[in-house]
Amino acid sequence: MTAARRTQEERSAATRRLLLDATVECLVKHGYAGTTTTRVSELAGVSRGAQVHHFATKDELVVAAVRHLAEQQAMHVLARPDLLADSTDPVGDALELLWRAHQGPTFDAAIELWVAARTDPELREATTAFERALTTRLMEVSVVLFGPEVTALPDFQLRLLTALEAIRGLRMVSFLHPYPSARLDERWQRSKALLRPLFESAG
């Protein structure tokens, strides 16, 4: 009975994962308005009944999907405490890792939620909670990335928020102006140079 129960739990987890992955794919390809529970279910190869069992509403589904992906990225960094162990430029490399954490489908899908939440009170409430949780998680990751000397700086959290706001702003601009990767990296390197002094005044 234990084996059977575990198998059922594994199947349920697999179904949930299929729905979350399909939702992120829909958000990136079709935007929030084009992401429907029917489309997600079809893409995931899951019945509508199974989808409703796991996520009763579209908003619940999309928020869970982006949170899931964001948590995966955070855990990927936290699982590698050696990432900056031999770095000759720990501040620059820490900023670089934060920049990379805002690349790809996670941030693209999150932006879809933030924009849609502007005119949807229920979605806004859920998305605000998600954004706060994501920022808190990134702060936890940053303590690992920057190390004790930098995180002991006065107002470290405000410094970090400034960096995160700059990173998110640049990524949002890239939606309006789809720069070639080299051009976007050039703009990021310029921003990183301006952010660096925020974390280098510990000397």
Side-chain angles (χ1 to χ4, degrees):
M1 291 181 63
T2 301
R5 188 181 303 115
R6 184 162 52 247
T7 299
Q8 180 59 37
E9 290 172 356
E10 290 173 352
R11 288 176 180 171
S12 179
T15 298
R16 182 182 175 90
R17 176 60 180 270
L18 286 171
L19 287 166
L20 295 177
D21 289 344
T23 302
V24 171
E25 184 176 343
C26 277
L27 285 168
V28 174
K29 286 185 176 180
H30 306 292
Y32 178 79
T35 297
T36 64
T37 53
T38 299
R39 176 174 273 164
V40 169
S41 297
E42 290 175 352
L43 183 62
V46 171
S47 71
R48 282 282 288 123
Q51 177 260 305
V52 172
H53 172 73
H54 286 278
F55 304 100
T57 67
K58 171 184 171 177
D59 287 356
E60 182 182 337
L61 177 59
V62 295
V63 172
V66 179
R67 180 185 291 122
H68 167 74
L69 199 53
E71 180 65 15
Q72 277 191 319
Q73 287 197 325
M75 288 305 297
H76 177 70
V77 175
L78 287 175
R80 292 286 311 281
D82 60 313
L83 281 173
L84 302 181
D86 300 321
S87 174
T88 58
D89 180 18
V91 168
D93 288 345
L95 287 170
E96 196 68 37
L97 285 173
L98 287 179
W99 169 249
R100 292 179 194 172
H102 287 79
Q103 308 306 306
T106 301
F107 190 78
D108 294 353
I111 285 298
E112 288 294 332
L113 292 189
W114 294 349
V115 172
R118 187 181 71 83
T119 55
D120 185 331
E122 292 185 7
L123 179 61
R124 181 164 62 246
E125 182 178 353
T127 303
T128 298
F130 156 71
E131 191 278 330
R132 287 174 179 164
L134 174 58
T135 299
T136 297
R137 197 71 170 119
L138 286 172
M139 285 186 169
E140 293 172 354
V141 171
S142 296
V143 170
V144 176
L145 294 180
F146 285 101
E149 184 177 0
V150 174
T151 54
L153 287 170
D155 299 321
F156 171 74
Q157 287 192 347
L158 292 179
R159 298 168 190 246
L160 180 59
L161 281 174
T162 299
L164 291 177
E165 288 162 0
I167 288 171
R168 291 170 177 176
L170 180 55
R171 280 288 282 119
M172 290 180 73
V173 169
S174 72
F175 293 141
L176 297 176
H177 305 284
Y179 304 110
S181 57
R183 175 61 174 152
L184 182 59
D185 183 66
E186 179 184 332
R187 291 174 68 92
W188 161 239
Q189 294 303 324
R190 183 181 65 193
S191 297
K192 184 170 71 171
L194 294 172
L195 292 170
R196 181 187 293 274
L198 287 174
F199 305 97
E200 289 186 331
S201 57

